[in-house]
Every structure is written in C-alpha cells, then in structure tokens.
Amino acid sequence: MKITFFSAKQYDREYFDQYNKDYNFDLEYVPKTLNERRATNMEPSEAICAFVNDVINADVIKILAEKQGVKYIAMRCAGFNNVDLDAAKKYNIKVCRVPAYSPECVAEHAVALLLTLSRKIHKAYYRILSQNFALDGLIGDSIHNKTVGVLGTGKIGKNFAKIMYGFGCKVLGYDVFESPDFKKNGGEYVTKEELLKKADIIALFLPLLPETRYIINKETIKTLKKGVVIINTGRGGLVNTEDLIDGIMSEHIGGFGADVYENEGVLFFKDLSEQIIPDKKFKLLTSLPNVLLTGHQAFLTKEALSQIASCILLNLDEFKKGKELSTPGAFLA
C-alpha cells in the first residue's frame, strides 16, 4: 500500500521509516500542507496521512476519492476538526486517528508554560545572556495552594491534574464526560461557570467543537478572577484572540501561555524568520510581556513520535486487511 504524508517533516520520516520495517509500505513524504490544489496534483495513493493544519474538506475528499483512488485517511494526531467525516463516509473513505499519544508529554508542556510564566524564567534567561543578573522585575507567583481549573479531563487533562496535585493545588474540573480517575485522585467536578469564576489558573484541554469554540471570549473573561493565568495546549480556536488581548491589556488576565493559535495554519511548522507576518493580532499578542507561545510542539517527544508512527501504521494495516481497528478510539468513519 502506498501512503502519502502531507505536512511531513524530517522527524516524521525518521520515525515512520523506522516503524515501517514491520510493514514495508510505500511511503511518500510531501512537506507541504494538503489542500485542493495539492490533492489534484498528487500522485495516486491508496492512503494519505495528514496533520492538524491540512485541509480535508468535502472538496478535497471528493478529489482524493475520485481522482487519486484514496481509500484511507490517517490523522497523525488526536484532533480531527479539519476532516469532513460526512464527506468521507459519502465517498467510502475510512478515517482513523491516534486517539492518545503520550498524553504525559502534552501535560508536561502545559506545566512548563505555566512555570515559565509564573516564575518569569523566559525573561531571566535573556537577561543572563546579556550578563544582566539584576532581579528587579522578576518577582513571580507560587503555584502552591492555587486553585487550578482543568477544562477537559481526558487523558491529557488528567495527567495535568496529577501534576498540579503534586504542587499542592486544589483542582477543579469540567467535562461533558466525567472521569472516575480525576475524582479518585482528588479532583472536584463543577460547572463550567463555577470553574471559570473560582480558578486562579485555567488549563484548556478540550477538543475544538462548535460548542467549545471561543470558550474563552469577552463574556467569559468578565467572569474570571482578576490576574488569572490561562494555559492552552488544546486547540487555538478555544480562545478568541481579540478578546484575549483586550483581557490582557486591561490587566484582567495576568498571563497567557499557549502551544496553539487560532490562525496557526499559515504560521506554525514553517521558518518565517525572514518574512513579515501580516497577522496583526498574532504580532500584538507575542509582544505582550506576560504572554508565552510555542509553535505546536507539545507533542514533540521521542515517546510520542514513536507512538504516533506505530499506531498509524497499525491502523492502516488493519484497514487494509479488513479488520476492526484494535486501538480504542482510533476509528472515526
């Protein structure tokens, strides 16, 4: 079976080539994102493997099915909000994902963002490089005894909560599906409104759905504690960037750390160091002293890349053999 990878980086090639030794699939790596034009111009392939910013709408799926003979779409991520599942079903294309890959690594990255913001480590680092050892302006906040709100208590959220327990925090949770493990470890489920009102720190681990889009917006920001710190390693669209900036500039929001951005598709995973970025909201956001952004790298660990490669290749092998997928939650359509 031929598999065409879009948005492919060198680390994708390294890990998929390693795990492909057990399958001997024909792998083609395309560094560009998938869109309608590239779907039209690609070489015929039985399967494609895509990532978070690839465009897999109804038009693209129609081209993949009718022109390129694609039978399978494999998402090498947990999210699938960029895939038109109804169109996939219409054209009899099976879709799978990696439902969980080292959830600890994403939770750990969220904690890294929080610690860096709280103790101003990023500012201290740049001072040291310029031989400035003064401590003025570096007064931070302790995480101990803070109330932490976890929006989304799936595998990543639960791991984040465990770490917060270790810091001596009170942990509140909100999720449509409550987790017995979250409660067993000391977490308390409350309404979304209560969580937003009481939390000193809010961490977002929700999927991007119509009901979760812009869960942080002008109206919800009004209900937050003054000085709240928000961490987002879920999806960029969970936060209304314009409203967020207003909340930070009014000093209602005390800090924001994120590994995602709502318009990241034209920015992330590329070297734009020699270009002028036209996104004014992004430029303003990154200029604020209490904002810390990383470029969607929370998943980027050896453990996660190994799990992603092994899961995707297993999924496609089972599709090819007509088997039900053995990985719980991997089958989408």
Side-chain angles (χ1 to χ4, degrees):
M1 177 166 60
K2 181 179 178 182
I3 308 170
T4 301
F5 291 73
F6 286 93
S7 301
K9 305 301 180 188
Q10 180 56 39
Y11 51 79
D12 292 312
R13 181 188 295 269
E14 177 184 345
Y15 280 85
F16 276 95
D17 282 352
Q18 176 184 340
Y19 284 90
N20 189 44
K21 293 175 183 177
D22 295 329
Y23 301 97
N24 201 31
F25 293 136
D26 178 13
L27 308 185
E28 179 186 10
Y29 298 98
V30 179
K32 301 291 187 179
T33 55
L34 175 61
N35 55 31
E36 192 170 338
R37 179 175 60 84
R38 294 193 179 104
T40 302
N41 296 330
M42 67 178 278
E43 295 293 324
S45 192
E46 194 170 351
I48 67 161
C49 184
F51 199 45
V52 292
N53 293 320
D54 289 305
V55 178
I56 317 173
N57 57 25
D59 292 334
V60 169
I61 288 173
K62 184 176 188 293
I63 295 168
L64 293 175
E66 294 183 346
K67 183 176 173 62
Q68 309 301 357
V70 171
K71 298 178 181 177
Y72 314 113
I73 295 173
M75 299 301 297
R76 57 183 187 277
C77 51
F80 54 92
N81 54 282
N82 54 332
V83 185
D84 190 325
L85 296 180
D86 291 333
K89 292 175 183 176
K90 176 182 176 181
Y91 290 99
N92 200 31
I93 292 179
K94 293 184 177 180
V95 186
C96 64
R97 63 169 178 158
V98 185
Y101 45 90
S102 185
E104 298 83 5
C105 72
V106 181
E108 289 167 4
H109 193 85
V111 175
L113 291 171
L114 175 59
L115 286 171
T116 302
L117 276 173
S118 298
R119 300 306 302 271
K120 303 186 180 181
I121 294 171
H122 53 316
K123 295 183 179 182
Y125 171 73
Y126 283 109
R127 284 194 187 186
I128 294 298
L129 293 181
S130 59
Q131 301 181 45
N132 178 359
F133 305 103
L135 299 182
D136 296 330
L138 295 181
I139 297 174
D141 293 293
S142 175
I143 295 173
H144 179 68
N145 272 341
K146 293 292 193 298
T147 297
V148 178
V150 181
L151 285 171
T153 58
K155 293 185 178 180
I156 298 171
K158 286 189 295 184
N159 276 282
F160 179 82
K162 286 181 183 178
I163 300 172
M164 291 298 98
Y165 302 142
F167 277 98
C169 296
K170 178 180 181 181
V171 182
L172 306 179
Y174 170 79
D175 202 309
V176 175
F177 304 102
E178 295 189 359
S179 163
D181 289 339
F182 179 81
K183 290 188 284 188
K184 183 176 71 175
N185 290 325
E188 177 188 353
Y189 277 106
V190 295
T191 65
K192 177 179 62 178
E193 291 73 19
E194 186 177 354
L195 184 151
L196 294 173
K197 183 179 179 181
K198 291 184 175 180
D200 302 298
I201 298 161
I202 296 172
L204 306 176
F205 302 107
L206 294 164
L208 184 59
L209 303 169
E211 56 268 30
T212 62
R213 179 175 290 276
Y214 289 168
I215 196 168
I216 301 298
N217 59 59
K218 179 169 58 177
E219 296 306 317
T220 56
I221 288 172
K222 291 177 182 177
T223 70
L224 304 181
K225 273 188 174 182
K226 184 174 173 59
V228 66
V229 175
I230 300 172
I231 303 295
N232 185 13
T233 57
R235 285 290 181 265
L238 299 173
V239 177
N240 184 305
T241 304
E242 188 170 347
D243 295 345
L244 171 72
I245 292 170
D246 289 342
I248 296 171
M249 295 188 71
S250 69
E251 299 186 357
H252 193 91
I253 295 173
F256 178 71
D259 187 52
V260 289
Y261 174 65
E262 63 173 316
N263 297 316
E264 69 178 57
V266 296
L267 299 174
F268 288 5
F269 310 113
K270 304 167 187 175
D271 181 359
L272 304 179
S273 57
E274 298 298 319
Q275 299 182 33
I276 295 174
I277 294 175
D279 188 335
K280 293 181 181 179
K281 288 189 291 186
F282 182 81
K283 295 293 288 183
L284 178 54
L285 185 64
T286 55
S287 73
L288 298 172
N290 52 348
V291 170
L292 178 64
L293 298 183
T294 52
H296 210 129
Q297 69 176 74
F299 77 99
L300 198 63
T301 63
K302 297 173 184 177
E303 294 81 1
L305 290 171
S306 295
Q307 291 173 26
I308 290 169
S310 60
C311 181
I312 286 294
L313 295 176
L314 174 62
N315 289 345
L316 290 173
D317 184 59
E318 291 175 338
F319 271 157
K320 181 72 174 177
K321 293 176 179 177
K323 297 180 178 180
E324 290 188 8
L325 299 190
S326 57
T327 303
F331 181 74
L332 293 174

